[in-house]
Amino acid sequence: MTRILLTGFEPFAGNKVNPTERIVEVFEGRHELVTHVLHVEFDKARTQLKTVLAQTEPDAVLALGLDANSEQVKLERVALNLADSTKPDNAGEQPVDQPLEPGGPAARFSSFNWRRIVEQLHSVEIPATSSLSAGTYVCNAVLYTLLGYTESHPHAVGGFMHVPPLERIDLDTQVRATEIALYELDRTIHAAHTSKPA
């Protein structure tokens, strides 16, 4: 059975509601789905993620984050080995030009089928696009970390999906977008398993 990890974040930077936290709550308890809400703190979020990855060893990871300036769902393609923030995280930390992993690769690329997910979202008229930058805040730090996991676990796939504020896309639509992304992750894993030689 495919085990998928779905993560979201707590509210941050004056945003009273983080839709990703609510999305994760909707999916809690679903069979073969592990859910976790991360702190919006550079160090703690990465530590939390590494812990749950080690405990569950998922086949796929979908991390969700809020892009307060977006009007559509965004599938992130690249994570940078960089923490550089114009605002403090929820612990008051504000790194500038710091590597997330000294000596690590400068960038890591998402291993999920982001193009297929965007196509499927468009097919049900959910505004969506791909993005070449997850920023340099905590979302990027989490994506870089989870892609380190998929690099060291070749059977696994993972990526990051930004969602807009609820006043731009309602919660039910964001949940639907997440369902589609999760389905495509599961589909990718099953396709990889069935294509292996006997």
Side-chain angles (χ1 to χ4, degrees):
M1 298 288 288
T2 303
R3 178 181 287 109
I4 300 178
L5 171 63
L6 174 68
T7 71
F9 283 107
E10 65 186 356
F12 69 100
N15 299 288
K16 294 182 179 180
V17 174
N18 190 327
T20 68
E21 184 176 38
R22 294 191 175 182
I23 293 168
V24 168
E25 290 173 354
V26 171
F27 286 92
E28 283 180 2
R30 294 201 183 185
H31 187 59
E32 296 300 321
L33 187 63
V34 180
T35 58
H36 200 84
V37 176
L38 303 171
H39 291 284
V40 183
E41 301 176 23
F42 281 95
D43 291 337
K44 185 172 284 188
R46 298 185 70 222
T47 298
Q48 284 180 288
L49 181 59
K50 288 177 181 179
T51 298
V52 72
L53 287 171
Q55 290 174 342
T56 62
E57 295 189 341
D59 301 296
V61 186
L62 178 64
L64 305 175
L66 169 64
D67 182 345
N69 298 313
S70 182
E71 296 185 356
Q72 57 188 331
V73 174
K74 298 196 301 185
L75 283 300
E76 300 297 344
R77 298 175 59 181
V78 184
L80 300 178
N81 188 7
L82 178 65
D84 187 69
S85 179
T86 59
K87 58 183 179 293
D89 66 12
N90 282 359
E93 297 298 319
Q94 191 172 355
V96 176
D97 289 336
Q98 292 183 12
L100 294 166
E101 293 182 12
R108 288 174 173 150
F109 293 86
S110 295
S111 53
F112 66 170
N113 192 341
W114 57 266
R115 192 182 303 276
R116 170 77 177 174
I117 296 170
V118 170
E119 289 173 352
Q120 291 301 304
L121 294 175
H122 286 170
S123 74
V124 294
E125 299 183 345
I126 296 177
T129 189
S130 63
S131 167
L132 287 171
S133 174
T136 52
Y137 195 53
V138 181
C139 288
N140 174 74
V142 163
L143 177 56
Y144 189 85
T145 302
L146 78 84
L147 293 178
Y149 169 81
T150 60
E151 284 182 0
S152 62
H153 295 73
H155 71 281
V157 296
F160 197 102
M161 186 168 79
H162 268 118
V163 298
L166 292 176
E167 58 267 24
R168 294 178 186 157
I169 296 183
D170 63 83
L171 181 61
D172 286 347
T173 303
Q174 294 195 23
V175 168
R176 177 62 177 143
T178 304
E179 287 177 332
I180 289 170
L182 291 172
Y183 174 80
E184 290 301 329
L185 283 172
D186 185 67
R187 182 172 174 271
T188 299
I189 291 296
H190 280 289
H193 287 172
T194 56
S195 66
K196 289 181 179 179

